[in-house]
Amino acid sequence: HVQLVESGGGSVQAGGSLRLSCGASGRYFQNYCMAWFHQGPGKEREGVAGISPGSITIYRTSDMRGRYIISRDNAKNEAYLELNDVRLDDSGMWYCAAKYGGNCGDWAQYRNWGQGTQVTVS
């Protein structure tokens, strides 16, 4: 089990960029799938991008693959999501999540969550 804390949210203008960070405490971070989820206002939370222990990346859609970059640094116990060319519908809460083993793109199996970080695009 890892504890997750997100940071890096804030206000950004449309077309700009933002980098979200997720710090993890606990053991064996390097063995966990990590993922980022987005919950827009009035919408359900959905998986956006995942990354395997060996840094193989998975994105929900091709558009997300083109605008977001997920990465991790196992030495620092951190995961990141870079948002580029942000749009109004990127606003909302962004959550970091972790799961041990299995398919890192299986969004429904993530059980370990951070508290989220708010992004507002104007």
Side-chain angles (χ1 to χ4, degrees), residues 1 4 7 18 31 40 42 48 56 60 76 86 94-95 106-108 110-111:
H1 187 75
L4 306 172
S7 61
L18 204 62
N31 295 337
V48 166
I56 296 173
R60 176 181 285 270
K76 294 182 178 180
V86 296
W94 289 80
Y95 297 90
D106 190 350
W107 316 115
Y110 281 87
R111 297 284 185 267

Side-chain angles (χ1 to χ4, degrees), residues 67-86:
R67 295 196 301 120
Y68 305 149
I69 301 173
I70 188 171
S71 60
R72 67 190 296 160
D73 187 333
N74 288 338
K76 294 182 178 180
N77 278 17
E78 293 183 347
Y80 312 98
L81 184 70
E82 185 178 324
L83 311 178
N84 297 302
D85 188 25
V86 296

Side-chain angles (χ1 to χ4, degrees), residues 24-42:
S25 59
R27 301 178 69 182
Y28 307 120
F29 170 82
Q30 67 273 15
N31 295 337
Y32 281 77
C33 291
M34 299 298 296
W36 286 92
F37 286 69
H38 175 230
Q39 185 168 21

Side-chain angles (χ1 to χ4, degrees), residues 98-114:
K99 75 180 189 76
Y100 194 90
N103 180 357
C104 297
D106 190 350
W107 316 115
Q109 295 304 313
Y110 281 87
R111 297 284 185 267
N112 204 358
W113 299 93

